[in-house]
Amino acid sequence: MFAVHLLAFYFTKLKEDQIKKVDRFLYHMRLSDDVLLDVMTRFQAEMVKGLERDAHPTAAVKMLPTFVRSIPDGSEKGDFLALDLGGSKFRVLKVKVSEDGKQNVQMESQFYPTPKEITHGNGTELFDYVADCLADFMETKNIKHKKFPLGFTFSFPCIQTKLEEGVLLSWTKYFKVRGVQETDVISSLRRALRKHKDVDVDVLALVNDTVGTMMTCGYDDQRCEVGIIIGTGTNACYMEEMSNIDLVEGDEGRMCINTEWGAFGDDGSLDDLRTEFDREIDLGSINPGKQLFEKMISGLYLGELVRLILLKMAKKGLLFNGKISTALRTKDKIETKHVAAMEKHKEGLQNTKEILMELGLTPSEEDCIAVQHVCTIVSFRSANLCAAALAAILTRLRENKKLIRLRTTVGIDGTLYKTHPQYPKRLHKVVRRLVPNCDVRFLLSESGSGKGAAMVTAVACRLVSQRKQIDEILASFELSKENLIEVKNKMREELEYGLKKETHVTATVKMLPTYVCGTPDGTEKGKFLALDLGGTNFRVLLVKIRSGRRKSVRMYNKIFAIPLEIMQGTGEELFDHIVQCIAEFLEYMGIKGARLPLGFTFSFPCRQASIDKGALVEWTKGFKATDCEGEDVVDMLREAIKRRNEFDLDIVAVVNDTVGTMMTCGYEDPNCEIGFIAGTGSNVCYMEEMKNIEIVEGTEGKMCINTEWGGFGDNGCIDSIRTKYDKEVDEGSLNPGKQRYEKMTSGMYLGEIVRQILIDLTKHGLLFRGQISESLRTRGIFETKFLSHIESDRLALLQVRRILQELGLDSTCDDSIIVKEVCGAVSKRAAQLCGAGLAAIVEKKRENRNLEHLKITVGVDGTLYKLHPHFSGILRETVKEMAPQCDVTFMLSEDGSGKGAALITAVAKRLHNVGEN
């Protein structure tokens, strides 16, 4: 028993001595975590360089855009062919992807050799050989009668400007084919395929093997957004935000970046970590000075690194008693498969002895232990360096997503990773140590890059099909110039109908006289009360107007809520609530005894008989109070004041918010004769010649007309541009068949139109993985403010996803792009329709004045105009295009409904005083 323990102690001591000896000799190759964190930082800096337009040409890590914009979502289906060129064998595959409720991939493949005369020949021979192999495969499988989409895995660095194009930068590994560098490999492949008249394929995608690996794993795990190859060569790819990729136009979505990390250090940034053995490997390679990181990591070089180390140790007498065999002096005699065999857990030492004996050496037990440890240090350094670069990519992904903790999957392939017994666990362990805030799943790629090329092609086919369907749906929102001219002309007709006595009753654009017969001239002064009712809030204001050189308007206001039960109760309850609010405000301001002139902004269609009389035509914006329609709202307010019997007010004017907007801007700019609201609702007013207003007595001067253009189209005159989504929104509204134009242009409805489109896209399987969530079924969930947020140019797609998630819509990056597009189509159409309508009004003003060219200002208010990032710009462009003889300035109103009501009251008082005098 003692003898056994003694032997075990002797063997352990022997092993320790040999390991220490090797550790001392190769201490430069043993990298601490601090060194690895430094490598990680260096690689992060190289990634940034490669992505920047100015730094890219000189960057060692090329960060090549692949034009792969989406990972598989599980809905891909069809038959595809794939070619896989880049390793020791060339492969042709037929891949059948079927959905059928569960993801399923069936593959048939055939390997073909890549002899030296092909890998070191010329380009024409290489691509003819590839085409011949494909033709042979199709013949064997009896599939020449059918057309197939094809993906080409080409495992060499290429610059791509689209998915189906790639210019070879340089050959790597052991390939050195003449006449291919700086040419498009897809064009070369297509040329070769054209020689086979019986082969009908559509080459849709050029894919790097690393991208293929990510896509293969992405089909099984949709969290996969990184691909790594650790085999003959090494490389990584990952999904980068488009906004960070200077080399490609556009900021929307993500794109897979092929890092080509094998060239990391080619600019000298790793010189302090490279050993004499790395330099010797490089000098003896077919591409000296290139792919320096790859030469420290990949399977093509590890065996040779081990051989060079053993040779030097033997020369120094540290191994094999200083004896060196011819085989040990011969390049590439130790391969990576030998390194893997020597590092096996139990039989490693025996394997080491056998391999060394095959090299003509007679190793001792000590030699075998030392050689095994050399292999460990070389392969461990490889895993460490890979881990550091991968940790840099994972950190970038986490920072791009602004996450504290990242959960992701890395797809991985390559013979070194798959066949080396210790490599995977070493790599995983170091990655987790370097980035503890990333939860990483490593997923081994099955069937690797070939299947990946088919998956990229399948995704490309899916995206083409989806794009076609999305374009068809959104095409119904596109308005041609002819459409807009027709809208302008129809609007002009309806304006005329509304002004004429015989057609006024049936006109959809009501053209209501407001009895506001002048705009401010700067002499207005005094204290005025203003009321503002038009939404879920009610405001009471005290407005102090000063005239003269230091003219100014000062306002004090208080906001009161109008509960739903009041909005949809009785008229008496509504006006009693309004008077209660007024009483509170007068008390608050200490002016309960004063009989101040009052202007009432009442933002609903009214038929006025004078400036202080207005009969409600119909409720809009969700109001439904009974016994009001057809009644004079000023009388209802006076009666409510009497019922309260606490104060008295001089109600001078009932005003529409649009008129208030015009008056507010008119106070600043005398050229302002049009008011426009683009908010919850949509409306326009303008100063019309009295002689054109047949429904009011008198022909002198002007009067402001409240068009109430929201009802435009209620007679069916714009049905040709209404979509099924507009009809669905209309049918689900409180007033079906009414306010059709408003329902296509105003903030109250745009979000609901978007929701209807999203439901339709989801039913077609084009959004949210085909799952209609409960929140998406909820009417009103998609408020128009979300359109403004989502369409903001400053908002990254990640933030769009966050908005959708807050709405209970679990979206992918692709979903977010589509939602943004839908919002854009709906808001653009709204702005164009408003622009065409406004063009009809400014043209009418020009003709009224009999001018060749009109210069006019439009006072504007409303949240849609003010907050939406693109609405105002599109509106202005449309007006300019539709009314080229009019120079239109848009002036943003400051509190049109409050300040405007007071100004109208002040103007009415001024004109009344002038009349009396």
Side-chain angles (χ1 to χ4, degrees):
M1 190 69 183
F2 175 72
V4 171
H5 281 300
L6 192 63
L7 189 64
F9 172 75
Y10 166 76
F11 187 74
T12 305
K13 186 83 175 71
L14 177 71
K15 195 168 183 179
E16 280 174 6
D17 290 346
Q18 294 306 311
I19 285 169
K20 281 178 186 170
K21 176 174 74 177
V22 173
D23 281 347
R24 280 194 300 274
F25 190 74
L26 295 179
Y27 74 96
H28 275 311
M29 281 190 160
R30 303 185 67 219
L31 307 176
S32 68
D33 279 4
D34 285 344
V35 171
L36 294 178
L37 287 166
D38 182 40
V39 171
M40 182 177 152
T41 304
R42 293 185 210 183
F43 189 71
Q44 282 175 303
E46 289 298 320
M47 289 169 80
V48 172
K49 265 195 222 170
L51 289 170
E52 286 175 351
R53 181 177 276 110
D54 295 339
H56 176 81
T58 56
V61 180
K62 282 299 176 195
M63 304 294 282
L64 303 172
T66 65
F67 293 81
V68 170
R69 296 171 186 267
S70 179
I71 55 174
D73 70 356
S75 67
E76 293 76 16
K77 55 188 173 188
D79 292 320
F80 306 92
L81 290 175
L83 307 175
D84 184 5
L85 179 69
S88 52
K89 289 178 180 172
F90 166 61
R91 189 158 63 134
V92 183
L93 306 92
K94 177 178 173 286
V95 182
K96 185 180 184 66
V97 184
S98 53
E99 196 185 6
D100 305 331
K102 60 179 190 290
Q103 293 168 228
N104 189 13
V105 178
Q106 296 168 307
M107 290 192 302
E108 301 172 70
S109 69
Q110 173 79 44
F111 283 97
Y112 294 88
T114 48
K116 192 164 183 180
E117 58 267 24
I118 293 296
T119 60
H120 285 66
N122 66 52
T124 305
E125 289 165 353
L126 171 67
F127 289 104
D128 282 349
Y129 178 71
V130 168
D132 291 345
C133 293
L134 175 62
D136 174 73
F137 177 81
M138 293 178 80
E139 182 78 54
T140 308
K141 301 294 176 190
N142 194 27
I143 53 173
K144 278 193 170 175
H145 58 282
K146 190 180 169 191
K147 182 168 184 166
F148 285 89
L150 180 140
F152 183 18
T153 298
F154 186 72
S155 308
F156 305 95
C158 288
I159 287 184
Q160 291 186 257
T161 51
K162 47 190 172 185
L163 187 57
E164 69 281 13
E165 183 184 280
V167 173
L168 177 66
L169 279 176
S170 60
W171 289 112
T172 56
K173 293 167 269 202
Y174 49 81
F175 275 70
K176 207 155 191 182
V177 183
R178 298 183 303 280
V180 183
Q181 272 180 249
E182 296 180 13
T183 67
D184 175 21
V185 294
I186 292 293
S187 296
S188 302
L189 175 61
R190 283 176 176 150
R191 253 194 315 276
L193 287 168
R194 279 198 289 273
K195 295 173 188 174
H196 293 268
K197 304 294 180 197
D198 52 351
V199 170
D200 189 7
V201 294
D202 190 5
V203 186
L204 291 183
L206 176 73
V207 185
N208 181 280
D209 55 346
T210 323
V211 180
T213 295
M214 183 188 78
M215 295 297 270
T216 301
C217 296
Y219 186 68
D220 298 318
D221 180 347
Q222 281 165 22
R223 284 190 187 275
C224 183
E225 49 193 346
V226 182
I228 294 189
I229 299 277
I230 311 169
T232 312
T234 184
N235 195 12
C237 69
Y238 72 102
M239 295 302 287
E240 177 62 85
E241 301 299 317
M242 280 287 288
S243 54
N244 296 332
I245 309 171
D246 285 357
L247 305 170
V248 180
E249 289 299 314
D251 287 336
E252 301 300 342
R254 300 198 298 169
M255 183 181 284
C256 180
I257 290 291
N258 165 21
T259 64
E260 287 297 337
W261 77 6
F264 178 34
D266 286 6
D267 57 355
S269 60
L270 293 178
D271 281 1
D272 57 325
L273 299 178
R274 291 173 68 227
T275 65
E276 60 181 291
F277 309 110
D278 296 310
R279 292 187 178 88
E280 199 171 336
I281 284 266
D282 179 44
L283 288 171
S285 69
I286 60 171
N287 55 352
K290 306 280 185 190
Q291 301 294 106
L292 299 183
F293 190 60
E294 182 171 80
K295 286 168 186 169
M296 297 164 83
I297 287 172
S298 79
L300 191 61
Y301 304 101
L302 288 197
E304 182 63 4
L305 264 174
V306 168
R307 185 190 71 82
L308 291 172
I309 292 164
L310 299 188
L311 182 61
K312 179 150 190 187
M313 288 182 78
K315 282 178 180 175
K316 284 184 172 285
L318 298 171
L319 285 176
F320 318 128
N321 288 325
K323 295 196 173 88
I324 301 166
S325 66
T326 307
L328 190 60
R329 292 182 192 277
T330 308
K331 189 180 173 192
D332 295 331
K333 271 293 179 183
I334 298 179
E335 295 174 34
T336 299
K337 67 180 180 184
H338 298 134
V339 176
M342 287 190 269
E343 283 196 75
K344 279 199 173 166
H345 180 51
K346 285 183 178 167
E347 61 266 38
L349 276 177
Q350 183 58 37
N351 291 343
T352 304
K353 188 173 184 179
E354 289 169 11
I355 288 162
L356 293 173
M357 288 173 74
E358 281 169 22
L359 292 170
L361 298 162
T362 48
S364 65
E365 197 75 48
E366 295 98 313
D367 289 333
C368 291
I369 291 166
V371 169
Q372 189 182 46
H373 194 53
V374 168
C375 292
T376 299
I377 287 176
V378 169
S379 61
F380 217 130
R381 183 186 71 155
S382 165
N384 277 339
L385 290 170
C386 255
L390 175 56
I393 289 174
L394 294 169
T395 300
R396 185 167 180 87
L397 277 174
R398 186 181 59 76
E399 288 172 356
N400 280 349
K401 294 183 180 189
K402 296 179 172 58
L403 295 174
I404 295 166
R405 193 165 195 85
L406 173 73
R407 187 177 165 203
T408 194
T409 297
V410 173
I412 197 158
D413 201 359
T415 47
L416 180 56
Y417 181 87
K418 288 201 279 196
T419 60
H420 191 290
Q422 315 297 334
Y423 203 98
K425 69 177 179 203
R426 287 174 185 165
L427 177 77
H428 304 172
K429 197 172 177 182
V430 179
V431 167
R432 288 181 179 125
R433 219 164 54 230
L434 294 177
V435 278
N437 48 3
C438 296
D439 299 321
V440 188
R441 179 190 180 205
F442 289 88
L443 184 58
L444 190 61
S445 166
E446 289 176 34
S447 317
S449 45
K451 177 180 168 186
M455 291 317 309
V456 172
T457 310
V459 169
C461 287
R462 166 174 64 79
L463 293 177
V464 166
S465 167
Q466 285 181 349
R467 182 75 263 158
K468 194 176 170 193
Q469 291 179 74
I470 292 163
D471 287 347
E472 280 171 7
I473 286 169
L474 296 185
S476 60
F477 286 86
E478 285 176 16
L479 299 174
S480 64
K481 189 173 181 180
E482 291 69 31
N483 290 144
L484 292 170
I485 290 169
E486 190 182 352
V487 169
K488 181 183 87 166
N489 294 340
K490 286 269 194 327
M491 177 67 84
R492 181 62 190 271
E493 282 174 24
E494 291 295 317
L495 297 175
E496 301 295 354
Y497 290 155
L499 289 171
K500 288 189 168 35
K501 196 173 273 182
E502 67 270 21
T503 51
H504 175 77
V505 178
T506 56
T508 61
V509 179
K510 286 297 172 197
M511 304 297 281
L512 304 172
T514 64
Y515 293 85
V516 171
C517 297
T519 51
D521 67 358
T523 63
E524 294 77 16
K525 60 183 179 180
K527 290 182 184 177
F528 304 89
L529 274 180
L531 311 179
D532 176 13
L533 178 69
T536 51
N537 289 329
F538 169 63
R539 276 194 314 157
V540 187
L541 305 94
L542 174 64
V543 182
K544 295 179 180 177
I545 303 174
R546 281 174 62 172
S547 61
R549 279 188 306 121
R550 295 174 64 193
K551 71 173 189 177
S552 66
V553 178
R554 288 170 66 194
M555 293 186 292
Y556 309 87
N557 74 86
K558 203 164 171 117
I559 296 170
F560 302 89
I562 299 205
L564 190 65
E565 61 270 20
I566 298 285
M567 284 169 68
Q568 299 185 359
T570 67
E572 200 167 284
E573 287 168 343
L574 174 63
F575 281 91
D576 283 348
H577 179 75
I578 287 170
V579 171
Q580 163 76 29
C581 297
I582 297 169
E584 282 184 36
F585 179 76
L586 296 174
E587 189 81 52
Y588 171 72
M589 294 299 295
I591 52 171
K592 211 163 190 179
R595 191 174 186 272
L596 295 173
L598 179 144
F600 184 11
T601 298
F602 187 76
S603 306
F604 303 93
C606 283
R607 189 166 277 107
Q608 289 187 252
S610 65
I611 196 165
D612 65 346
K613 288 198 174 301
L616 175 64
V617 176
E618 62 183 343
W619 284 118
T620 56
K621 304 176 203 168
F623 275 73
K624 276 282 182 185
T626 58
D627 307 321
C628 293
E629 289 179 2
E631 299 297 320
D632 183 349
V633 295
V634 176
D635 285 347
M636 293 183 83
L637 178 60
R638 283 183 177 133
E639 283 161 21
I641 291 170
K642 273 183 198 165
R643 278 197 298 275
R644 184 151 187 112
N645 198 25
E646 279 183 21
F647 55 85
D648 193 19
L649 297 169
D650 175 16
I651 304 171
V652 174
V654 61
V655 183
N656 180 280
D657 56 346
T658 322
V659 183
T661 294
M662 181 187 78
M663 295 296 269
T664 303
C665 294
Y667 186 68
E668 307 294 335
D669 179 355
N671 217 17
C672 180
E673 290 200 349
I674 300 174
F676 170 51
I677 298 276
T680 311
S682 176
N683 196 15
V684 162
C685 70
Y686 71 103
M687 296 303 288
E688 178 59 272
E689 306 297 320
M690 280 292 289
K691 64 185 180 196
N692 295 334
I693 311 171
E694 293 182 7
I695 46 179
V696 177
E697 293 297 314
T699 56
E700 293 301 312
K702 296 178 186 177
M703 183 184 285
C704 180
I705 291 291
N706 166 21
T707 65
E708 286 298 336
W709 77 357
F712 175 47
D714 288 0
N715 59 359
C717 70
I718 54 169
D719 278 3
S720 61
I721 59 168
R722 286 178 79 225
T723 67
K724 65 175 182 174
Y725 310 106
D726 296 308
K727 288 165 189 164
E728 281 163 0
V729 168
D730 180 39
E731 284 160 17
S733 70
L734 286 169
N735 53 351
K738 307 274 187 177
Q739 300 292 104
R740 289 182 182 179
Y741 184 65
E742 181 169 80
K743 285 169 187 168
M744 296 165 81
T745 56
S746 79
M748 189 165 181
Y749 301 100
L750 297 192
E752 188 58 16
I753 295 170
V754 168
R755 188 182 73 89
Q756 293 293 345
I757 300 168
L758 300 187
I759 287 172
D760 199 28
L761 289 171
T762 308
K763 281 179 184 170
H764 282 84
L766 303 170
L767 265 185
F768 310 132
R769 300 178 184 89
Q771 304 296 311
I772 301 177
S773 65
E774 206 49 53
S775 57
L776 194 56
R777 294 179 201 277
T778 309
R779 187 178 300 283
I781 184 80
F782 210 95
E783 295 172 47
T784 298
K785 68 177 180 183
F786 295 127
L787 269 77
S788 299
H789 296 330
I790 286 168
E791 287 188 70
S792 168
D793 295 327
R794 296 191 306 276
L795 208 62
L797 225 56
L798 196 67
Q799 291 158 294
V800 175
R801 281 182 77 181
R802 212 159 279 155
I803 290 169
L804 295 174
Q805 278 160 359
E806 281 169 20
L807 292 171
L809 303 170
D810 185 21
S811 70
T812 63
C813 184
D814 293 338
D815 290 338
S816 303
I817 293 170
I818 295 167
V819 170
K820 193 166 184 177
E821 212 175 324
V822 170
C823 292
V826 171
S827 60
K828 181 182 178 183
R829 184 191 66 162
Q832 286 178 315
L833 285 172
C834 285
L838 263 178
I841 287 171
V842 295
E843 277 292 306
K844 185 171 191 345
K845 290 284 294 175
R846 185 180 67 79
E847 288 172 23
N848 281 353
R849 293 195 199 169
N850 202 20
L851 293 172
E852 188 67 33
H853 190 87
L854 173 72
K855 191 173 171 58
I856 196 163
T857 298
V858 177
V860 197
D861 204 352
T863 49
L864 187 58
Y865 185 91
K866 287 201 275 197
L867 302 180
H868 191 282
H870 308 301
F871 186 93
S872 59
I874 296 166
L875 174 88
R876 288 195 297 268
E877 280 301 311
T878 308
V879 172
K880 195 174 178 182
E881 187 182 14
M882 293 291 106
Q885 290 168 273
C886 301
D887 180 5
V888 184
T889 301
F890 288 85
M891 183 179 186
L892 205 55
S893 161
E894 286 178 40
D895 194 19
S897 45
K899 183 175 169 182
L903 283 165
I904 289 166
T905 307
V907 169
K909 278 284 192 192
R910 171 171 62 77
L911 293 175
H912 179 71
N913 294 340
V914 168
E916 280 187 345
N917 291 337

